[in-house]
Amino acid sequence: MEKVLDVREMVPRDRHARIFELYRSLKPGESFTLVNDHEPKPLLYQFQAEHDGEFDWWTLEAGPEAWRVSIVKRERPNPDITITDYLQTDHRRLDTIFEGFKAAVKESRWEDAARGFREFSLGLKRHIRIEEDILFPVFEEKTGMRDAGPTFVMRMEHKEIQALLDRILGATDGHDAAGAEAGSSNLLGILLDHNMKEEHILYPESDAFITGSERAMVIKKAQAA
Ligand SMILES: [Fe+2]
Ligand SMILES: [Fe+2]
């Protein structure tokens, strides 16, 4: 079971100490979910300053009442992590959440399904925003490829993906198993091929075209997105 640290009832000045205490007690590869009552940006910046390259930071819920972030102590610290590694890890993480959602639909556990799908949808929309607003502009600038390049195709597919997310959400909230399953298999059909193109072409090319310090900057911005 994932550890959960809910700091909402703690006095604010104790919060960071408790969070870093728990983080330091983790074994490599372990993680915990932090629950807070506001967006924990200052905490992220403190992690980036004190534990650069040692952790992953994935937003699970973004308000308005609760913010939940999964904080992972990486198996191996890697300050020079590539864009391919970073975004591929996010693809795998989202795949796992999506599998959980599909299992919940199959067993008519609608509350779990709704929670799982919201987490998946938030994560995937955030992932797309990171690609479109942070990574693609750097890629386009470096390669000069815009209107006919790979990012153009990816942006079109992102539109289809986001439309499907909204459709599946509607089906899930309406407890419509057939609709949720049909939407899910459509989405998987697009995502498999989309992620493969990114992991085999776009991400490695991005890693090759930009410098190490630009790469680190892209990943820091991605964590804060
Ligand atoms: Fe994408
Ligand atoms: Fe992606």
Side-chain angles (χ1 to χ4, degrees), residues 16 41 71 91 115 181 198:
H16 282 205
K41 276 265 167 84
I71 300 173
H91 285 167
R115 196 178 321 112
E181 273 158 14
E198 288 180 342

Side-chain angles (χ1 to χ4, degrees), residues 8 48 81 107 172 175:
R8 286 176 295 180
Q48 289 181 334
I81 189 170
E107 293 156 18
T172 304
H175 298 189

Side-chain angles (χ1 to χ4, degrees), residues 87 91 127 131 158 194-195 198 203:
L87 289 174
H91 285 167
H127 179 98
E131 291 175 342
H158 286 166
H194 180 86
N195 289 354
E198 288 180 342
Y203 298 163

Side-chain angles (χ1 to χ4, degrees), residues 19-65:
I19 294 163
F20 281 101
E21 190 188 5
L22 176 58
Y23 175 78
R24 279 192 296 271
S25 76
L26 295 179
K27 295 193 186 75
E30 285 185 340
S31 62
F32 68 96
T33 297
L34 171 71
V35 186
N36 210 337
D37 51 16
H38 64 273
E39 189 179 8
K41 276 265 167 84
L43 179 72
L44 170 63
Y45 297 141
Q46 196 178 341
F47 262 98
Q48 289 181 334
E50 293 175 12
H51 295 280
D52 185 30
E54 296 170 17
F55 71 98
D56 278 314
W57 177 281
W58 310 115
T59 302
L60 307 177
E61 186 177 344
E65 273 132 45

Side-chain angles (χ1 to χ4, degrees), residues 87-88 90-91 94 124 127-128 131 136 154 158 191 194-195 198-199 202-203:
L87 289 174
Q88 193 165 289
D90 201 23
H91 285 167
L94 292 166
L124 186 51
H127 179 98
I128 287 173
E131 291 175 342
F136 293 179
M154 295 299 111
H158 286 166
L191 260 189
H194 180 86
N195 289 354
E198 288 180 342
E199 291 175 21
L202 190 80
Y203 298 163

